[in-house]
Amino acid sequence: MKAKRIIKSGLALLLSMQLALMSCITALAAPEWPSDTGVLADIGIAVDADSGAVLFGQGIHELTPPASITKLLTALVVVENSSMDDMVTFSYDAVNNVESGSGNKKNIAEGDKLSVKDCLYLLLLQSSNQAANALAEHVAGSRDAFADMMNEKVKELGCTDGTHFANPSGLNDDTQVVSAYDMAIIAQAAFNNSDVLEISSTKSYKLAPTQNNPSGATCANEHRLIITDDETSELYCPEAKAGKTGYTSLAGNTLVTYGEKDGRRVISVVLKGQPSPNYFLDGKTLLQFGFENFQNVSIPDNETKYVTGEETVSINGADFQPDELDLESGAVITLPKDAAFSDASMELVTELPKDHPEGAVAKLVYTYNERKIGEGWLFTTRAQSVDAVAPPSDGEAPAG
């Protein structure tokens, strides 16, 4: 009996030690990724605009019609391929070749002339389909040719979900579809462009005179999270700075919102949204979830591997001293607010895309519990043929 008691006592002690060990392991584990939010829409995503980390996602790779959030891509392609002072002439086709019932904001007429800048304000603030058509003709000669430019841009940005654009306005077309994930990449590129950001964040803008508006006309932003100043309103969202609305019979309500707070930038995308105000509230929920639950941490301020110490670093057969290597300035990773930089895992990627930055020899890619949370380039400060160190690859698209 005494032996049995000793054995039972020993087993109890062992079990207690195991439980204590498990408790310590749990305490040392990285904090869970926040997920305590949701949206009424079928599809929603929140993305950190600097790291590219997906903060929240629901149906983010499903393809669905985009409606007028398409115009963010249209604006980006236009800004990159024309001058703000160029004059745009509205053709008969630009004015009239639109879907029945889609309207004509500001009553634009054939023969009207507006600058590219005016057209972009009309495009992004009032969602003018006529402005989309005219800008496309101005830049590419035709809407079809412009759509080709749009799809080339999507490919360049690294969208891989099957997103495809058929026109510059976002009006219904059976082949025009986008995923929330790809749309977030497009929006990230659009808002990284200072002209697109400035225009889409403006609350109102006075156009130059046209035939039906000889004294000019005022464009007003239609994004309710951006224009609501009443702090008691459910649509008050001081973080929201820019964005684009959309609606068609096939797409339902769509919304892109860009926000800033405490030095961070977050983008939310809502597709197949519920009737107003719900899809705006979804945009607000996603945006604020991103700001309240996460932090950005500097890579160059925290990463010591490869760039410190005295041991030689070998990359693709080339040897470097740590003082010959440097990390991308401004690169960040996104972590839960209660996590540390050491909780992230890092992989050195040496097979780089053809358009890698000059001097890059590798890329540091970070994950958190198998979720990608950011990346940064590793550069050499030594004068040499970089391409001999980091051979180009077609297999990896550049980060947005």
Side-chain angles (χ1 to χ4, degrees), residues 22-32 338-339 343 368-369:
M22 290 176 64
S23 177
C24 289
I25 291 173
T26 300
L28 292 172
E32 289 293 324
D338 51 354
D343 292 324
Y368 185 90
N369 295 340

Side-chain angles (χ1 to χ4, degrees), residues 83 89 141 200 225 256 267 274 321 372 396:
S83 168
T89 301
S200 61
L225 296 181
V256 174
I267 292 168
Q274 298 294 315
Q321 295 302 313
K372 185 176 177 181
E396 183 183 351

Side-chain angles (χ1 to χ4, degrees), residues 43-111:
I43 300 169
I45 190 172
V47 174
D48 186 278
D50 292 303
S51 70
V54 176
L55 309 178
F56 174 86
Q58 179 173 297
I60 64 174
H61 299 294
E62 179 183 340
L63 293 171
T64 186
S68 283
I69 57 175
T70 295
K71 294 181 172 81
L72 284 172
L73 177 60
T74 298
L76 179 62
V77 174
V78 168
V79 168
E80 291 182 344
N81 292 278
S82 63
S83 168
M84 287 289 187
D85 296 328
D86 287 351
M87 295 306 296
V88 177
T89 301
F90 286 77
S91 68
Y92 175 88
D93 190 63
V95 173
N96 296 287
N97 198 337
V98 295
E99 189 175 315
S100 175
S102 62
N104 181 350
K105 301 288 180 67
K106 304 308 173 188
N107 201 15
I108 297 297
E110 179 187 0

Side-chain angles (χ1 to χ4, degrees), residues 32-362:
E32 289 293 324
W33 192 267
S35 60
D36 53 341
T37 192
V39 292
L40 296 173
D42 290 351
I43 300 169
I45 190 172
V47 174
D48 186 278
D50 292 303
S51 70
V54 176
L55 309 178
F56 174 86
Q58 179 173 297
I60 64 174
H61 299 294
E62 179 183 340
L63 293 171
T64 186
S68 283
I69 57 175
T70 295
K71 294 181 172 81
L72 284 172
L73 177 60
T74 298
L76 179 62
V77 174
V78 168
V79 168
E80 291 182 344
N81 292 278
S82 63
S83 168
M84 287 289 187
D85 296 328
D86 287 351
M87 295 306 296
V88 177
T89 301
F90 286 77
S91 68
Y92 175 88
D93 190 63
V95 173
N96 296 287
N97 198 337
V98 295
E99 189 175 315
S100 175
S102 62
N104 181 350
K105 301 288 180 67
K106 304 308 173 188
N107 201 15
I108 297 297
E110 179 187 0
D112 277 345
K113 294 178 186 272
L114 290 172
S115 67
V116 165
K117 182 178 179 180
D118 276 357
C119 287
L120 286 168
Y121 276 99
L122 183 58
L123 175 83
L124 292 178
L125 300 192
Q126 297 280 196
S127 205
S128 167
N129 300 314
Q130 286 74 19
N133 289 343
L135 285 166
E137 291 176 1
H138 174 75
V139 169
S142 71
R143 281 173 297 156
D144 287 344
F146 187 83
D148 289 339
M149 294 177 69
M150 295 170 74
N151 290 315
E152 281 299 313
K153 187 64 180 179
V154 166
K155 181 179 178 182
E156 174 192 322
L157 292 174
C159 299
T160 58
D161 279 346
T163 288
H164 180 266
F165 292 93
N167 62 58
S169 63
L171 290 176
N172 287 329
D173 186 288
D174 290 340
T175 68
Q176 185 150 265
V177 289
V178 69
S179 71
Y181 181 79
D182 283 351
M183 194 64 222
I185 293 174
I186 293 166
Q188 183 182 12
F191 296 129
N192 279 339
N193 183 287
S194 59
D195 290 322
V196 176
L197 178 60
E198 179 180 355
I199 293 168
S200 61
S201 63
T202 301
K203 292 187 177 183
S204 66
Y205 177 83
K206 183 71 174 292
L207 294 173
T210 58
Q211 295 175 60
N212 294 319
N213 298 286
S215 299
T218 299
C219 295
N221 200 316
E222 298 176 339
H223 196 310
R224 295 177 67 186
L225 296 181
I226 299 170
I227 62 175
T228 301
D229 294 324
D230 180 4
E231 296 185 17
T232 65
S233 169
E234 62 181 352
L235 292 172
Y236 180 66
C237 183
E239 300 89 351
K241 304 299 181 184
K244 185 71 191 76
T245 60
Y247 174 82
T248 69
S249 57
L250 294 181
N253 292 295
T254 64
L255 185 72
V256 174
T257 311
Y258 164 89
E260 297 177 350
K261 183 180 181 182
D262 298 333
R264 290 188 57 223
R265 306 184 304 149
V266 173
I267 292 168
S268 69
V269 178
V270 175
L271 301 177
K272 300 175 76 171
Q274 298 294 315
S276 185
N278 290 330
Y279 73 102
F280 286 109
L281 295 177
D282 280 345
K284 174 182 176 180
T285 295
L286 290 169
L287 209 63
Q288 294 184 336
F289 170 80
F291 286 122
E292 292 168 3
N293 293 280
F294 300 91
Q295 59 174 323
N296 280 355
V297 181
S298 167
I299 293 175
D301 288 348
N302 290 275
E303 185 58 70
T304 58
K305 196 170 184 180
Y306 306 118
V307 295
T308 61
E310 298 180 358
E311 292 186 12
T312 300
V313 178
S314 295
I315 301 175
N316 279 336
D319 292 335
F320 300 91
Q321 295 302 313
D323 61 5
E324 295 177 316
L325 296 172
D326 200 6
L327 292 166
E328 177 186 354
S329 175
V332 298
I333 60 173
T334 301
L335 294 166
K337 277 204 168 173
D338 51 354
F341 187 86
S342 57
D343 292 324
S345 300
M346 185 269 287
E347 177 189 3
L348 184 73
V349 176
T350 58
E351 191 175 350
L352 304 182
K354 289 180 179 179
D355 57 350
H356 62 74
E358 182 179 357
V361 295

